[in-house]
Amino acid sequence: MICLICSSSFSEKASWRKLLLIKEPDVICEKCLSKFEKMKDRESENEWKGTIYDGALDSVQSIYIYNEWMKQVFQQYKFQLDVDLAKIFVSDFQLLNKVQELIVPIPLHPEMLLMRTFSQVDQLLIAANVPFTHVLAKTLNRSQVGKSKKDRMSSELFFSVTTDVQNKNILLVDDLYTTGTTLHHAAYALKKSGAQRVIAVTLIRA
């Protein structure tokens, strides 16, 4: 096998799960795999308390820490358009097949999608064979990089809801959680449109 990250040759470890086709084949070597750090339980910040977004997002969990290694891999995936890297996280996202909520990926703005050629969030779910439904449309294409937390919180709403979500329980999926602005904006739009509960999972948390 050839590692998708470092391109070195490696031998895949045998296991009963693989023999029974329960586990996907390895796509990266042990050395590269060992550099990823799983996210431990972390209390949610109360920085949204007192804003209009307070209570919009019921909970959020992240899978990995945004360490230097993940930053490098993420840049290669998202900005160098290395779509195959989504296969690295198949086993992490396959767990979503067990949830009861409607799985909704955070969308890209149409202009950004045209520039990037693929949605990085959609591709993570596609690689893991997880069914999802688009119910959100990104209405603003403004970068939040360099903005203060206060500016991000008070910015215009990013999303519109395009499908009936009345009384639905929704699981939002995104790639990176930094201040939580994107997810809170999305959850707020969904709750305003009648969603009952909105939780979220992200690949990485900064």
Side-chain angles (χ1 to χ4, degrees), residues 164-181:
D164 181 21
V165 295
Q166 194 72 32
N167 298 319
K168 291 189 181 296
N169 293 323
I170 291 173
L171 171 62
L172 290 171
V173 181
D174 203 3
D175 50 6
L176 177 63
Y177 184 109
T178 48
T179 63
T181 303

Side-chain angles (χ1 to χ4, degrees), residues 70-126:
M70 176 59 89
K71 190 178 294 186
Q72 177 184 323
V73 173
F74 187 63
Q75 292 281 325
Q76 185 177 338
Y77 174 59
K78 188 171 182 176
F79 299 110
Q80 296 177 33
L81 311 181
D82 195 345
V83 184
D84 275 351
L85 294 186
K87 296 175 184 176
I88 297 170
F89 310 108
V90 163
S91 60
D92 298 304
F93 282 95
Q94 279 179 336
L95 297 174
L96 297 186
N97 281 313
K98 298 179 180 179
V99 304
Q100 300 300 313
E101 291 85 1
L102 180 68
I103 297 173
V104 175
I106 293 293
L108 289 175
H109 188 277
E111 292 175 2
M112 186 62 71
L113 181 59
L114 189 63
M115 185 176 74
R116 293 232 179 108
T117 72
F118 76 102
S119 165
Q120 65 273 7
V121 181
D122 285 10
Q123 198 59 45
L124 289 168
L125 296 170
I126 291 168

Side-chain angles (χ1 to χ4, degrees), residues 21-168:
L21 302 179
I22 297 172
K23 188 178 184 301
E24 295 291 323
D26 295 331
V27 294
I28 58 173
C29 65
E30 284 291 321
K31 183 177 179 181
C32 288
L33 181 62
S34 67
K35 296 178 183 179
F36 291 106
E37 289 183 69
K38 287 279 190 177
M39 187 82 199
K40 296 178 181 177
D41 290 339
R42 176 170 163 179
E43 289 185 10
S44 297
E45 294 88 349
N46 283 325
E47 55 192 12
W48 296 90
K49 193 170 183 179
T51 72
I52 62 170
Y53 306 103
D54 187 7
L57 188 62
D58 293 289
S59 70
V60 58
Q61 289 185 320
S62 299
I63 302 170
Y64 292 99
I65 294 171
Y66 199 39
N67 62 10
E68 286 303 314
W69 175 248
M70 176 59 89
K71 190 178 294 186
Q72 177 184 323
V73 173
F74 187 63
Q75 292 281 325
Q76 185 177 338
Y77 174 59
K78 188 171 182 176
F79 299 110
Q80 296 177 33
L81 311 181
D82 195 345
V83 184
D84 275 351
L85 294 186
K87 296 175 184 176
I88 297 170
F89 310 108
V90 163
S91 60
D92 298 304
F93 282 95
Q94 279 179 336
L95 297 174
L96 297 186
N97 281 313
K98 298 179 180 179
V99 304
Q100 300 300 313
E101 291 85 1
L102 180 68
I103 297 173
V104 175
I106 293 293
L108 289 175
H109 188 277
E111 292 175 2
M112 186 62 71
L113 181 59
L114 189 63
M115 185 176 74
R116 293 232 179 108
T117 72
F118 76 102
S119 165
Q120 65 273 7
V121 181
D122 285 10
Q123 198 59 45
L124 289 168
L125 296 170
I126 291 168
N129 244 349
V130 176
F132 58 87
T133 306
H134 278 292
V135 305
L136 293 168
K138 189 82 177 286
T139 54
L140 290 180
N141 193 24
R142 299 172 191 165
S143 173
Q144 297 296 300
V145 176
K147 289 187 177 181
S148 67
K149 287 185 179 181
K150 183 179 179 181
D151 287 339
R152 291 183 185 220
M153 289 179 185
S154 60
S155 58
E156 189 179 343
L157 198 63
F158 298 168
F159 301 100
S160 63
V161 178
T162 60
T163 305
D164 181 21
V165 295
Q166 194 72 32
N167 298 319
K168 291 189 181 296

